[in-house]
C-alpha cells in the first residue's frame, strides 16, 4: 500500500514536472509565442530562428535514446537538459547577437533529450492502464500554462513572458528533484520481450503515421496562422483552447467507446478545417471555426500517439529511445509541413491549393491507418498470449503442448525452437540459445508456421493457446 | 566446392554485372546497338548473379547445419589429417551440398523433404522428394564404429525427424 502510494506520488510529480517543462518548450523554443514576440520586438529574423530551434529539438528527440543507453541516466539527462535550457534562455534577456542562434540550438537539442527521457519516468512510475491519463494530464496542463505565457508575452510584455517561462523550468526542476531514475536501462516488464522486429515494425509504422498526419500541423502554422495574425489578442488565448477541450473529452471517454471512431472524427475535422479556411473570410468568427476544427483534431491525434507510445514502452529496454523516436516523427512532420507551407506562401498559392494538399495528406493517412491498426493489434495480441503462457506453471505449459496434435508432427529441433518462441524470444535470441545461425532459425520458424497452417507468430500463439488460456 | 569458392563466383558475377551496366551506359552515347548488347549482357549477368546468390544462401544453410561431412580423400602431414583437396560433401538438416550442386529438403512442408535414410555397409543412402518425384543420393559415409553411426543417427532424427535404418552390408 505504502509502495503504491509512493509510486503514485512519483507519477504525479513526474507529470507535473514535465508539464511545466513542456509549457516552457511550447511557449518558447517550439514555435512559441514568447519567442515570436521577442524576435518581433527586436526586429530579428523570425523564420530562421524558429527553424533552427525546431531542427535542434528534432535532433535531440531522435538521439536521446543513444545518450540514455550509453552515457547518462534518464534522470541526469532530464535534469541536465533543464539546466542547459535555463542557461540557453539567458541571452534572450539581452539584445540579439549570434548567441541567440547558439542558444536556440543548445536549448532545442537539450529540450528534445529532456522530453524523450520522460519516457523512462512514464514507464517506471505510471502503471500501464493509467498512461493515457498521464499523457492527457501533461498535454492539458502544459497547454494551459502555455496559454498563460502566450497571453503575457503577446499582450503585456515579451521579456515578462520570457521570465515566466524560465520560472517554469525552475518549478519543473523542483518537481524532478529527488525523483528516482538512476538506472540507465530497464528490462521489459514481466521479463517478456515481444519480438524486436515486431516492435520495430510497429514503431516505424506509427512514426510514419504521425509524420504524415502532422504535415498538416506544419501547414497550419505556416499558412493558416499567418492569415489570422491580425487577431493577435484572440489568437494568443483561444489558439490552444479547442486542443485542451479535445484532450479533456478524450481523457474521460468511457473504455467501451471506440477510439478508432474518434480518430476518424479527427480526420474529418482536419479536412473540414482546411475546407473552411478555403471558404470563409478572415474575421474573428471565421478564426474560431477553423481553429476549433484544426486544434480539436490535433488534440485527438496527439493523445492517440502519446498513449500508443506509452503502451509500447513496456516492450523495450530503452523507453527513452521509443518515446524520443515517436515524438521526433511528430516534430519531423511539423517541420516538413512548415517547409511546405513556407514554399506555398512564397509562391502565393491560395487556400484552395492548400486544402488540396491537406486532403492528399489525409488520404495517405486513411491508407496507413488500417495497416497501423493491424500491426499494433498484432503486437498487443502477441504480448497478451505470451504473458498468459508465461503465467502458467511448468506442468500446465507441458499440458498445453501435449494436447496439441500438431506439436507431435514437429521435429525435435522444431520443438526446441517453438518452446523458445513461446518465451517471446527473437530469432537472434533463439539462435544464440541453440547455437545455430539466425537464417537457420528463420527456416525452422517458417516450417513451424507452415505445419500449423498459419502465416504469423500471433496466429500461431492464438492457434496453440486459445483453447487453454482465457484472455 | 567450398563456400569460399561460391563467394568468389558471386563476386565475379557482381563485377561482371557492374561492368556490363557501366559499359551499357557508356556505349549509349556512341552506339545504340552496342548499348543494347551490353544491356542484354547485364541482364544475363544479373540472372547469373541471382542464381549464385541463391546457391550461396542454400549452401550456407546446408553448411551451417551439418549432420555428416564426408571428405573423399584424407592427406596426413605430421600426423595431422587434412581433407585432400577434393570436394567435401555435406549432409545437412536442409539438404546435401556436393560440389556446386545443392539438393535441398525440409525448407517447407509440402515441398521437398527427406523421406528415408539407410546405412548399408559403407554407403549412406538418402531418399528425398516431394511425393511426386524422388531422388536418391548415395554417399560413402566414412563412418568408423558404432559410436559414430549412433551419433549421426541421433542427429538425423533430431534435425529431420527421419530415422536412420542401419543394415550390415
Amino acid at each position: 500500500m505504502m509502495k503504491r502510494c509512493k509510486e503514485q506520488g512519483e507519477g504525479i510529480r513526474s507529470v507535473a514536472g514535465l508539464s511545466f517543462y513542456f509549457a516552457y518548450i511550447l511557449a518558447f523554443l517550439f514555435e512559441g509565442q514568447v519567442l515570436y514576440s521577442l524576435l518581433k520586438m527586436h526586429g530579428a529574423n523570425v523564420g530562421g530562428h524558429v527553424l533552427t530551434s525546431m531542427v535542434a529539438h528534432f535532433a535531440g528527440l531522435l538521439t536521446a535514446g543513444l545518450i540514455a543507453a550509453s552515457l547518462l541516466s534518464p534522470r541526469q539527462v532530464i535534469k541536465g537538459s533543464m539546466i542547459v535550457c535555463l542557461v540557453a534562455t539567458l541571452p534572450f534577456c539581452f539584445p540579439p547577437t549570434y548567441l541567440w542562434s547558439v542558444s536556440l540550438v543548445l536549448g532545442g537539442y537539450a529540450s528534445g533529450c529532456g522530453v524523450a527521457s520522460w519516457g523512462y519516468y512514464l514507464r517506471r512510475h505510471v502503471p500501464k492502464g493509467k498512461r493515457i491519463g498521464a499523457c492527457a494530464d501533461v498535454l492539458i496542463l502544459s497547454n494551459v500554462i502555455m496559454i498563460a505565457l502566450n497571453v503575457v508575452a503577446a499582450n503585456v510584455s515579451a521579456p515578462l513572458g520570457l521570465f515566466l517561462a524560465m520560472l517554469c523550468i525552475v518549478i519543473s526542476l523542483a518537481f524532478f528533484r529527488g525523483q528516482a531514475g538512476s538506472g540507465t536501462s530497464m528490462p521489459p516488464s514481466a521479463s517478456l520481450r515481444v519480438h524486436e522486429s515486431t516492435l520495430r515494425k510497429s514503431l516505424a509504422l506509427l512514426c510514419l503515421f504521425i509524420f504524415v498526419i502532422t504535415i498538416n500541423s506544419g501547414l497550419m502554422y505556416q499558412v493558416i496562422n499567418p492569415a489570422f495574425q491580425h487577431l493577435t489578442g484572440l489568437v494568443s488565448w483561444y489558439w490552444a483552447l479547442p486542443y485542451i477541450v479535445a484532450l479533456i473529452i478524450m481523457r474521460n471517454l468511457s473504455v467501451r467507446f471506440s477510439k478508432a471512431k474518434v480518430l476518424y472524427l479527427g480526420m474529418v475535422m482536419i479536412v473540414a478545417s482546411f475546407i473552411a479556411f478555403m471558404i470563409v473570410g478572415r474575421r474573428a468568427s471565421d478564426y474560431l471555426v477553423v481553429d476549433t476544427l484544426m486544434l480539436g483534431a490535433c488534440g485527438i491525434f496527439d493523445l492517440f500517439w502519446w498513449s500508443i507510445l506509452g503502451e509500447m514502452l513496456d516492450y523495450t529496454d530503452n523507453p527513452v529511445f521509443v518515446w524520443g523516436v515517436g515524438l521526433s516523427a511528430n516534430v519531423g512532420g511539423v517541420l516538413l509541413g512548415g517547409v511546405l507551407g513556407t514554399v506555398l506562401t512564397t509562391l502565393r498559392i491560395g487556400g484552395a491549393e492548400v486544402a488540396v494538399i491537406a486532403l492528399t495528406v489525409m488520404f495517405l493517412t486513411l491508407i496507413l491507418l488500417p495497416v497501423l491498426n493491424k500491426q499494433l493489434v498484432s503486437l498487443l495480441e502477441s504480448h497478451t498470449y505470451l504473458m498468459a503462457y508465461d503465467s502458467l506453471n511448468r506442468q500446465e505449459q507441458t499440458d498445453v503442448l501435449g494436447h496439441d496434435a500438431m506439436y507431435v508432427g514437429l521435429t525435435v529441433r522444431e520443438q526446441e525452437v517453438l518452446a523458445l518462441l513461446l518465451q517471446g524470444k527473437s530469432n537472434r535470441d533463439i539462435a544464440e540459445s541453440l547455437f545455430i545461425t539466425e537464417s537457420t532459425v528463420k527456416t525452422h520458424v517458417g516450417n513451424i508456421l507452415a505445419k500449423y497452417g498459419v502465416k504469423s507468430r500471433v496466429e500461431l500463439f492464438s492457434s496453440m493457446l486459445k483453447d487453454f488460456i482465457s484472455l | 566446392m567450398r563456400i569460399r569458392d561460391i563467394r568468389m563466383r558471386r563476386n565475379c558475377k557482381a563485377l561482371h554485372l557492374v561492368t556490363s551496366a557501366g559499359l551499357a551506359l557508356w556505349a549509349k552515347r556512341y552506339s545504340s546497338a552496342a548499348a543494347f548488347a551490353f544491356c542484354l549482357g547485364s541482364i544475363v549477368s544479373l540472372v547469373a548473379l541471382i542464381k549464385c546468390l541463391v546457391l550461396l544462401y542454400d549452401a550456407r544453410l546446408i553448411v551451417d547445419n551439418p549432420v555428416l561431412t564426408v571428405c573423399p580423400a584424407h592427406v596426413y602431414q605430421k600426423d595431422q589429417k587434412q581433407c585432400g583437396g577434393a570436394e567435401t560433401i555435406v549432409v545437412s538438416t536442409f539438404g546435401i551440398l556436393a560440389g556446386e550442386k545443392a539438393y535441398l529438403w525440409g525448407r517447407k512442408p509440402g515441398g521437398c523433404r527427406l523421406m528415408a535414410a539407410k546405412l548399408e555397409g559403407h554407403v549412406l543412402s538418402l531418399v528425398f522428394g516431394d511425393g511426386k518425384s524422388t531422388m536418391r543420393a548415395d554417399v560413402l559415409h566414412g563412418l568408423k564404429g558404432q559410436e559414430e553411426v549412433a551419433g549421426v543417427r541421433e542427429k538425423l532424427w533430431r534435425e529431420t525427424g527421419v530415422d536412420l535404418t542401419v543394415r550390415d552390408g
Side-chain angles (χ1 to χ4, degrees):
Chain A
M1 181 73 174
M2 283 278 288
K3 193 183 170 187
R4 212 187 307 157
C5 283
K6 194 182 172 202
E7 280 295 324
Q8 264 181 346
E10 299 275 1
I12 291 169
R13 281 173 65 169
S14 78
V15 164
L18 185 74
S19 299
F20 279 94
Y21 190 27
F22 208 54
Y24 158 82
I25 295 168
L26 291 175
F28 180 60
L29 284 173
F30 197 84
E31 289 194 283
Q33 186 63 51
V34 173
L35 180 63
Y36 268 113
S37 301
L38 281 167
L39 290 167
K40 275 184 194 158
M41 192 175 94
H42 291 282
N45 171 19
V46 173
H49 282 96
V50 165
L51 186 66
T52 305
S53 174
M54 283 176 66
V55 169
H57 189 74
F58 172 78
L61 285 167
L62 207 54
T63 56
L66 299 168
I67 297 170
S70 50
L71 293 169
L72 304 165
S73 72
R75 184 183 177 210
Q76 288 169 324
V77 171
I78 203 166
K79 284 172 80 175
S81 75
M82 286 181 203
I83 293 167
V84 169
C85 284
L86 203 55
V87 170
T89 313
L90 288 173
F92 289 87
C93 301
F94 306 98
T97 59
Y98 74 93
L99 275 179
W100 278 33
S101 299
V102 172
S103 300
L104 285 174
V105 169
L106 287 174
Y109 185 81
S111 62
C113 292
V115 170
S117 300
W118 190 68
Y120 175 87
Y121 288 89
L122 183 63
R123 159 93 186 272
R124 193 184 168 113
H125 298 302
V126 182
K128 198 170 175 181
K130 298 220 160 60
R131 281 182 201 157
I132 186 169
C135 292
D137 291 340
V138 164
L139 289 169
I140 291 167
L141 195 53
S142 59
N143 274 274
V144 166
I145 301 167
M146 179 202 70
I147 289 175
L149 294 173
N150 284 354
V151 166
V152 167
N155 301 308
V156 179
S157 157
L160 180 60
L162 183 70
F163 170 73
L164 292 173
M166 289 169 76
L167 192 60
C168 286
I169 301 183
V170 174
I171 296 170
S172 181
L173 266 169
F175 275 113
F176 276 104
R177 198 171 140 236
Q179 279 257 304
S182 53
T184 53
S185 71
M186 184 182 273
S189 60
S191 304
L192 250 185
R193 188 187 306 203
V194 170
H195 303 279
E196 271 177 44
S197 63
T198 311
L199 175 70
R200 264 186 264 126
K201 246 188 264 180
S202 304
L203 183 62
L205 208 50
L206 182 66
C207 285
L208 181 61
F209 180 82
I210 296 171
F211 181 78
V212 167
I213 210 162
T214 47
I215 289 173
N216 279 332
S217 292
L219 273 176
M220 174 192 68
Y221 282 121
Q222 294 300 323
V223 177
I224 295 182
N225 283 4
F228 293 104
Q229 64 184 5
H230 54 283
L231 306 167
T232 322
L234 176 65
V235 169
S236 67
W237 68 270
Y238 187 77
W239 181 65
L241 202 58
Y243 182 85
I244 294 169
V245 169
L247 285 168
I248 294 171
I249 295 171
M250 284 278 286
R251 190 197 188 291
N252 296 306
L253 269 181
S254 159
V255 178
R256 271 181 267 154
F257 196 91
S258 166
K259 292 203 167 60
K261 286 186 185 147
V262 181
L263 279 181
Y264 283 113
L265 173 65
M267 286 186 205
V268 167
M269 285 169 70
I270 290 186
V271 169
S273 75
F274 277 98
I275 291 174
F277 177 70
M278 188 173 65
I279 297 169
V280 303
R282 301 288 177 256
R283 297 164 302 196
S285 54
D286 302 321
Y287 173 75
L288 291 175
V289 169
V290 172
D291 187 70
T292 302
L293 290 167
M294 173 61 79
L295 269 292
C298 286
I300 291 170
F301 283 114
D302 273 3
L303 188 57
F304 164 69
W305 53 69
W306 274 54
S307 61
I308 295 284
L309 286 171
E311 300 293 313
M312 279 184 174
L313 297 176
D314 281 332
Y315 306 138
T316 176
D317 57 3
N318 192 348
V320 174
F321 173 77
V322 169
W323 191 251
V325 166
L327 292 186
S328 72
N330 190 344
V331 175
V334 171
L335 269 171
L336 180 63
V339 166
L340 198 58
T342 307
V343 167
L344 292 173
T345 312
T346 312
L347 294 172
R348 294 179 199 278
I349 286 176
E353 285 82 357
V354 172
V356 166
I357 293 170
L359 285 168
T360 310
V361 169
M362 277 297 109
F363 176 69
L364 285 172
T365 315
L366 274 168
I367 296 172
L368 279 173
L369 194 56
V371 179
L372 174 70
N373 186 52
K374 188 178 169 198
Q375 188 67 26
L376 288 173
V377 164
S378 164
L379 177 76
L380 294 169
E381 265 186 16
S382 180
H383 180 70
T384 307
Y385 277 117
L386 293 179
M387 286 275 284
Y389 181 77
D390 197 55
S391 67
L392 301 176
N393 62 41
R394 202 164 277 264
Q395 184 55 46
E396 285 167 335
Q397 288 180 356
T398 310
D399 287 343
V400 166
L401 297 176
H403 281 102
D404 190 336
M406 303 299 292
Y407 185 76
V408 184
L410 301 179
T411 63
V412 173
R413 182 60 97 187
E414 286 168 354
Q415 289 173 357
E416 288 171 355
V417 169
L418 181 59
L420 292 170
L421 272 179
L422 288 169
Q423 289 174 26
K425 289 195 188 297
S426 65
N427 284 350
R428 196 186 295 180
D429 292 338
I430 294 173
E432 280 170 16
S433 303
L434 298 178
F435 304 104
I436 53 179
T437 63
E438 213 176 313
S439 55
T440 305
V441 172
K442 281 182 192 162
T443 310
H444 283 308
V445 170
N447 285 342
I448 293 167
L449 294 178
K451 283 181 181 176
Y452 273 87
V454 295
K455 291 203 176 103
S456 70
R457 288 172 207 233
V458 178
E459 287 179 47
L460 175 68
F461 302 146
S462 168
S463 153
M464 286 185 72
L465 303 174
K466 67 176 185 300
D467 292 334
F468 293 89
I469 292 165
S470 55
L471 297 173
Chain B
M1 180 177 281
R2 286 168 285 193
I3 297 291
R4 192 178 62 199
D5 298 328
I6 303 175
R7 262 196 234 119
M8 273 184 64
R9 274 178 68 186
R10 175 204 60 189
N11 293 343
C12 288
K13 287 186 199 305
L15 192 61
H16 197 258
L17 172 65
V18 169
T19 312
S20 323
L23 283 169
L25 283 171
W26 175 78
K28 203 176 119 188
R29 251 188 282 170
Y30 305 104
S31 163
S32 305
F36 181 70
F38 282 126
C39 233
L40 280 176
S42 305
I43 293 170
V44 170
S45 301
L46 181 63
V47 170
L49 176 64
I50 291 170
K51 283 176 86 169
C52 197
L53 286 170
V54 170
L55 174 63
L56 182 62
Y57 182 83
D58 293 340
R60 187 86 263 165
L61 201 58
I62 290 172
V63 165
D64 285 342
N65 298 280
V67 171
L68 173 68
T69 306
V70 177
C71 184
H74 289 124
V75 174
Y76 292 85
Q77 188 179 20
K78 289 183 185 175
D79 292 329
Q80 275 191 326
K81 188 166 80 172
Q82 290 168 9
C83 200
E87 287 165 352
T88 316
I89 297 169
V90 180
V91 178
S92 153
T93 309
F94 297 113
I96 291 180
L97 181 65
E100 60 181 71
K101 279 282 194 183
Y103 301 92
L104 296 154
W105 60 63
R107 295 285 289 275
K108 53 182 177 185
C112 186
R113 58 184 176 86
L114 181 65
M115 292 170 167
K118 187 172 74 177
L119 197 145
E120 198 163 5
H122 299 291
V123 176
L124 170 67
S125 294
L126 300 156
V127 178
F128 53 95
D130 58 5
K132 291 176 206 161
S133 62
T134 54
M135 285 177 79
R136 195 183 84 211
D138 288 342
V139 177
L140 294 169
H141 55 77
L143 295 170
K144 293 185 176 65
Q146 285 192 349
E147 223 175 89
E148 283 188 18
V149 171
V152 168
R153 186 179 188 179
E154 201 264 331
K155 212 168 181 184
L156 201 62
W157 168 252
R158 181 185 194 75
E159 296 287 340
T160 66
V162 171
D163 192 20
L164 177 66
T165 316
V166 180
R167 280 191 193 150
D168 296 323

